[in-house]
Each structure stands twice: as C-alpha cells, then as structure tokens.
Amino acid sequence: MSTEMNNAFGPLAEKLLTPLFSQLLINVKVMNVSAHICCRRIVTVLVMISTPAISLFLFLYYFCPHTRLFQCTQYSKMVPIICDSVLKSKSAMCRKRCAEYIELIFQVWDVNIISKNLSILEASIKSGINDADSETRTFSRQTYWLYHEYFTKNAEK
C-alpha cells in the first residue's frame, strides 16, 4: 500500500507504527522480523524497477547509497513516534530498530520534511549515541554523519 499511495499512506502508517513496535519486542523471530520489514517498508519503499535494470540498481544501491532511487511515505508525524521509541523504550531491540529507521529517514527522506522534526531527531541521535547497545550506537553515529551533512551548523554545536 505504501508503494502505491506514497504520502497518502501517511495517516495509516502513523497508526500502524505503534502496534508494529510492540511486535518488535516479541521473542518469536517470525513476528519480530516481519514487523521490522514492515516498518522498513513504511519508512523506505523501493521504486519498482524492471529486470534489466536490477544490476544497475544493485551497483548504485551498494556503491552510491545517497542516490535518490527511493520513493517513500514521507509523513512528518511518523518521526516523533519513531524518535520516542529511541528515547523512551526499555527494550534494546526496539531502540536499535528505531535508530535504524532514523538512519533510513536521513538517507531517503527530503530534507524539508526532516527539518520539521529536527529537535526531536537531534535528541534521539544523542540518546542513541549514548545507548548501552553497541548496534544502536553504531546506527546513531552513522545517522549523526548524515545529520552533519545536511545540517552542519546544528551538528557542530
């Protein structure tokens, strides 16, 4: 649905994120991974590409990650929900996954939409960098450098 509806899917995606985050906490791997894949698809949805273009796409995806080959549901009201999970969740898995989603947001979303929620994104990046989980810290450090690329003055504070 996110692929077809793009930003019109935003209000529904906002409602789906909280139940999906609760599924990230389940120890049953099938449920956990399915919820993670669904959240990733909501944040970033791949543009449909034809079969001959797959090799070009894979080359660009792996070697030029900042090319805008992505189309997604860029709905600014989803950002606080994701950031709150990084800031407030007691689950290391949920914090790690949400830090990954924030990194994807910085990689894929338009800078104007990111700037609408800049203060909470800054707080979640800081929280992620100081997190107890090493993978959460790694995602947050990578996000910081993307943040630094777009908002240099704010990052240097």
Side-chain angles (χ1 to χ4, degrees):
M1 286 174 34
S2 179
T3 306
E4 296 298 321
M5 296 174 66
N6 293 333
N7 288 340
F9 184 68
L12 180 59
E14 180 185 4
K15 302 264 189 259
L16 290 174
L17 281 178
T18 304
L20 286 171
F21 289 163
S22 66
Q23 295 298 310
L24 291 174
L25 307 176
I26 294 177
N27 289 333
V28 179
K29 191 162 183 143
V30 173
M31 299 289 285
N32 184 314
V33 171
S34 297
H36 174 58
I37 290 170
C38 187
C39 288
R40 282 182 58 98
R41 292 284 176 168
I42 288 173
V43 174
T44 61
V45 178
L46 217 48
V47 173
M48 296 301 190
I49 55 175
S50 62
T51 308
I54 289 177
S55 59
L56 173 64
F57 165 74
L58 291 174
F59 173 79
L60 291 172
Y61 179 75
Y62 288 110
F63 297 107
C64 305
H66 296 293
T67 55
R68 300 292 180 189
L69 287 174
F70 295 96
Q71 184 182 54
C72 56
T73 305
Q74 297 186 8
Y75 190 65
S76 63
K77 291 183 180 180
M78 291 190 309
V79 174
I81 296 169
I82 296 170
C83 290
D84 280 345
S85 295
V86 172
L87 294 169
K88 298 176 183 174
S89 179
K90 293 180 181 178
S91 166
M93 174 65 75
C94 189
R95 290 191 312 268
K96 176 181 77 168
R97 301 287 185 164
C98 290
E100 180 182 353
Y101 305 147
I102 292 171
E103 181 187 9
L104 288 170
I105 286 170
F106 271 93
Q107 287 176 352
V108 178
W109 285 23
D110 185 38
V111 178
N112 295 328
I113 298 203
I114 293 172
S115 64
K116 290 179 183 177
N117 295 296
L118 204 54
S119 61
I120 194 163
L121 284 166
E122 289 172 350
S124 62
I125 291 169
K126 286 178 187 176
S127 175
I129 288 173
N130 296 320
D131 197 84
D133 183 50
S134 64
E135 291 182 64
T136 304
R137 289 193 307 265
T138 302
F139 284 123
S140 295
R141 280 189 221 111
Q142 292 168 347
T143 305
Y144 171 77
W145 289 112
L146 293 169
Y147 170 71
H148 185 274
E149 183 180 323
Y150 295 127
F151 306 101
T152 308
K153 291 181 182 179
N154 292 351
E156 292 176 352
K157 288 182 185 178

